[in-house]
Amino acid sequence: MSTGTVDLASESTSDRVEHVDVLVVGAGISGIGAGYHLQHECPGKSYAILEAREAIGGTWDLFRYPGIRSDSDMYTLGFPFRPWDSDTSIADGQSILTYLRETASAYGIDQKIRFGHRVARATWSSEEDRWTVEATRTDTGQSVVLTCSFLFMCTGYYRYDQGFTPNFPGTERFQGRIIHPQFWPEDLDYAGQRVVVIGSGATAATLVPSMAEKAGHVTMLQRSPSYMLSIPGQDPLAGIVRRLLPIRRAYSVVRWKNVLIQLGLFKLSRRRPKLVKGLIRKDLERRLPAGFDIDTHFKPRYNPWDQRFCFIPDGDLFDAIRGDSVSVVTDEIETFTEKGIRLRSGRELEADLIVTATGLILQPIGGAELVVDGQPVELPTSMVYKGCMLSGVPNFALSFGYTNASWTLKADLICQYVCRLVNHMESHGYTSCRPVNRDPTVTETPFVDFTPGYFLRAMNQLPKQGSKIPWRLHQNYVRDVRLIKRSPVEDGVLQFSAGQAPAAAPRTQVAAAA
Ligand SMILES: Cc1cc2nc3c(=O)[nH]c(=O)nc-3n(C[C@H](O)[C@H](O)[C@H](O)COP(=O)(O)OP(=O)(O)OC[C@H]3O[C@@H](n4cnc5c(N)ncnc54)[C@H](O)[C@@H]3O)c2cc1C
């Protein structure tokens, strides 16, 4: 791998191809984390971040629906290197976005981002030991080509240009408005209106109490219930520890406390589902009005943590249900009508506004096409190594967080691993590395052991995981600290080679071209 000498602030030009050591794609939580770690752990390496949108923050900039907030705590959703400096554990979207922007600016990561560059294709050449990455400028449609020694996809997991809406019959008849939360109109006024929110996930559970503050009435319409558990919006321990310890230490204590609680809840749910169901039931009985039909509306058909839990900060959804501005209906949609929705039971829900909180369309690696030595990479036939590399794909990593804990916990481990790998290659003179499965006893299993609709719909587009370490995903931060952060880079599975990679263009050459 070449030493970083390229002026990355420069724009690529059509008459020459710019090279960077590490090319990061995406400027959300993962891409910002990647920038931080590359700067601190690989200071000699050049890097750039290509971002399709005109803004930093990914998910936290895109979603603007009322009440948007994290549903995992900020001490684990925040970066380990930048303390979340507040007692508020469940934060609103704007505060998270501000935190991300400030982090990027504090470390100069924002200077490395090239906005409006959508990566469409990356082609690996083993002769040159480098990727050629093709992006399109979203403003001009112009094609931009860069080369890199290592490609790090921090592109999230879903499509930005479309949300998922099932094919509901009769939508064209409906006289009111239909909105998907992914595309919330800034000026939408729903004061006094009758709103139906279709969905039973975290987005619906967030929207309903928030919209109820202004709307005439909000109905949460779900086909089947999800597990909903109240959690404190403010972390009581964080308040105490933050007063006793220096900020970084306090942050680390609260972070680990929350890691262990999340892990404990997940394990308990898998081992003693009846016990966890009973605890959730008790909380619901305490919070919901007497006589509320919990069995119909809040008793899921699956076990806790077969799908992601919906955490309800301070039980605000249940408070809203206790008032008279929110109702919950569990039924199936037969058709949209002029006035609203007719249900299978024959009941009609009248509405002025229908919000389809029906999910995301999963999309791995930002929809980009990967080609290795002329062969297209078929994700479903590849296997993930340590949760972040793909079998047979050289000098490549992707960031994919946890499904049962904060995304950032895993994303950050992956960023650290990429840096370790890049440094290892540099110190050993390697120019390429790729994971190769030579163990015939490793069998393929689905990428996630998890059943929400958006994963099930897309399972056939995802890579597989294997039955054994290092191909197995554990969804367990403590195990991953050992596997990803601490275990030796050379493990017999990752194959290294020292080829004839051309050196990076000297700084003056690229600067002159810019
Ligand atoms: C509404 C909502 C709430 C959530 N709440 C939580 C939560 O509370 N806790 C939690 O842990 N997780 C949550 N998640 C998951 C969430 O996505 C992660 O927390 C985290 O934001 C993912 O960060 P990321 O940087 O990996 O991906 P993203 O935030 O998706 O960012 C990816 C970036 O890559 C860019 N990109 C994609 N493709 C390309 C391409 N081809 N070329 C160039 N750029 C590209 C995108 O424009 C985007 O800026 C939530 C998700 C949603 C949708």
Side-chain angles (χ1 to χ4, degrees):
M1 195 174 275
S2 55
T3 307
T5 49
V6 180
D7 181 358
L8 291 165
S10 62
E11 283 290 325
S12 55
T13 55
S14 53
D15 54 346
R16 65 179 301 122
V17 174
E18 177 186 350
H19 182 82
V20 292
D21 290 325
V22 182
L23 186 66
V24 177
V25 185
I29 286 182
S30 301
I32 297 169
Y36 171 85
H37 284 289
L38 284 164
Q39 284 178 192
H40 285 80
E41 284 136 51
C42 308
K45 296 291 171 193
S46 60
Y47 84 96
I49 302 177
L50 297 189
E51 166 54 55
R53 303 177 71 239
E54 292 297 336
I56 224 166
T59 298
W60 300 103
D61 184 72
L62 176 75
F63 279 84
R64 300 294 177 120
Y65 58 75
I68 171 86
R69 65 190 177 201
S70 64
D71 64 353
S72 57
D73 71 279
M74 286 308 298
Y75 308 98
T76 54
L77 188 61
F79 298 109
F81 54 85
R82 186 163 173 94
W84 174 253
D85 191 9
S86 162
D87 292 353
T88 304
S89 174
I90 301 297
D92 61 275
Q94 189 53 51
S95 305
I96 300 172
L97 186 56
T98 303
Y99 167 82
L100 295 178
R101 284 180 181 154
E102 285 177 359
T103 304
S105 149
Y107 298 104
I109 300 159
D110 50 357
Q111 302 302 309
K112 303 286 187 178
I113 304 172
R114 307 195 188 171
F115 293 103
H117 284 66
R118 179 182 306 287
V119 170
R121 192 164 196 262
T123 312
W124 170 262
S125 158
S126 290
E127 252 170 49
E128 297 182 330
D129 275 342
R130 59 175 53 186
W131 289 96
T132 299
V133 178
E134 295 162 46
T136 308
R137 284 194 59 148
T138 52
D139 52 353
T140 59
Q142 187 196 345
S143 178
V144 177
V145 177
L146 282 93
T147 60
C148 64
S149 303
F150 198 100
L151 180 60
F152 189 10
M153 300 299 274
C154 294
T155 45
Y157 62 100
Y158 62 88
R159 280 182 76 146
Y160 270 63
D161 58 342
Q162 270 182 43
F164 177 73
T165 311
N167 264 334
F168 296 123
T171 44
E172 69 292 344
R173 285 162 61 192
F174 180 56
Q175 301 292 304
R177 257 181 113 162
I178 303 174
I179 284 169
H180 192 285
Q182 198 163 326
F183 307 101
W184 200 267
E186 215 175 307
D187 55 352
L188 183 72
D189 181 11
Y190 52 87
Q193 293 195 350
R194 294 161 305 172
V195 180
V196 173
V197 177
I198 305 173
S200 61
T203 301
T206 302
L207 272 166
V208 168
S210 177
M211 293 187 79
E213 288 169 14
K214 274 205 246 159
H217 188 84
V218 183
T219 304
M220 181 167 129
L221 170 60
Q222 54 178 10
R223 193 168 52 177
S224 56
S226 309
Y227 281 104
M228 305 228 174
L229 182 63
S230 301
I231 52 164
Q234 304 261 323
D235 188 319
L237 184 78
I240 299 167
V241 177
R242 289 175 68 247
R243 273 180 279 286
L244 294 177
L245 296 175
I247 173 76
R248 280 189 181 273
R249 231 178 126 59
Y251 183 56
S252 166
V253 167
V254 181
R255 190 175 169 87
W256 270 104
K257 183 260 298 174
N258 289 356
V259 163
L260 297 175
I261 289 177
Q262 282 165 11
L263 209 53
L265 177 62
F266 179 72
K267 284 197 174 266
L268 192 65
S269 302
R270 287 281 160 106
R271 283 183 196 156
R272 306 274 310 274
K274 269 197 185 145
L275 174 75
V276 174
K277 282 182 194 177
L279 294 172
I280 295 171
R281 176 80 179 207
K282 280 217 165 62
D283 182 58
L284 289 169
E285 282 168 357
R286 196 166 59 81
R287 290 178 182 275
L288 287 164
F292 187 89
D293 186 356
I294 295 177
D295 283 344
T296 302
H297 303 305
F298 288 109
K299 187 177 170 194
R301 296 177 203 142
Y302 54 89
N303 276 335
W305 272 123
D306 282 355
Q307 296 190 15
R308 204 175 167 116
F309 257 81
C310 281
F311 293 110
I312 312 293
D314 300 319
D316 61 359
L317 173 66
F318 309 121
D319 288 348
I321 293 172
R322 265 212 313 274
D324 56 6
S325 57
V326 166
S327 39
V328 184
V329 173
T330 305
D331 203 329
E332 278 189 49
I333 294 174
E334 188 175 274
T335 182
F336 279 47
T337 64
E338 284 73 11
K339 290 187 173 165
I341 295 175
R342 190 165 64 241
L343 303 167
R344 286 244 183 271
S345 62
R347 186 174 170 189
E348 296 224 23
L349 298 176
E350 292 199 353
D352 307 300
L353 170 65
I354 295 176
V355 182
T356 52
T358 42
L360 307 163
I361 301 179
L362 205 129
Q363 185 181 55
I365 61 168
E369 184 192 356
L370 294 183
V371 178
V372 173
D373 293 327
Q375 294 297 313
V377 175
E378 306 291 347
L379 289 188
T381 61
S382 57
M383 207 186 261
V384 278
Y385 168 83
K386 295 193 171 177
C388 65
M389 293 180 81
L390 294 175
S391 53
V393 182
N395 297 20
F396 175 90
L398 56 91
S399 170
F400 202 98
Y402 290 119
T403 48
N404 64 350
S406 281
W407 182 272
T408 317
L409 289 171
K410 175 92 173 269
D412 193 76
L413 286 181
I414 293 172
C415 292
Q416 293 183 55
Y417 179 72
V418 166
C419 292
R420 250 188 345 129
L421 186 53
V422 165
N423 286 339
H424 183 84
M425 289 169 71
E426 174 74 24
S427 61
H428 289 73
Y430 297 134
T431 50
S432 86
C433 68
R434 70 179 91 191
V436 179
N437 178 23
R438 296 224 164 85
D439 180 352
T441 64
V442 174
T443 52
E444 283 184 350
T445 58
F447 184 61
V448 278
D449 168 20
F450 205 54
T451 57
Y454 59 94
F455 272 115
L456 291 180
R457 284 193 296 273
M459 210 61 102
N460 61 353
Q461 299 166 35
L462 296 175
K464 302 286 185 299
Q465 62 166 312
S467 53
K468 287 185 195 167
I469 277 178
W471 306 98
R472 174 100 197 267
L473 296 169
H474 284 289
Q475 304 291 348
N476 179 324
Y477 180 67
V478 177
R479 286 186 88 151
D480 282 343
V481 167
R482 283 201 299 270
L483 176 71
I484 304 177
K485 189 171 168 177
R486 305 240 164 91
S487 64
V489 171
E490 301 237 14
D491 59 359
V493 177
L494 208 51
Q495 310 280 305
F496 293 90
S497 72
Q500 298 298 317
R507 177 182 292 271
T508 46
Q509 267 184 312
V510 174

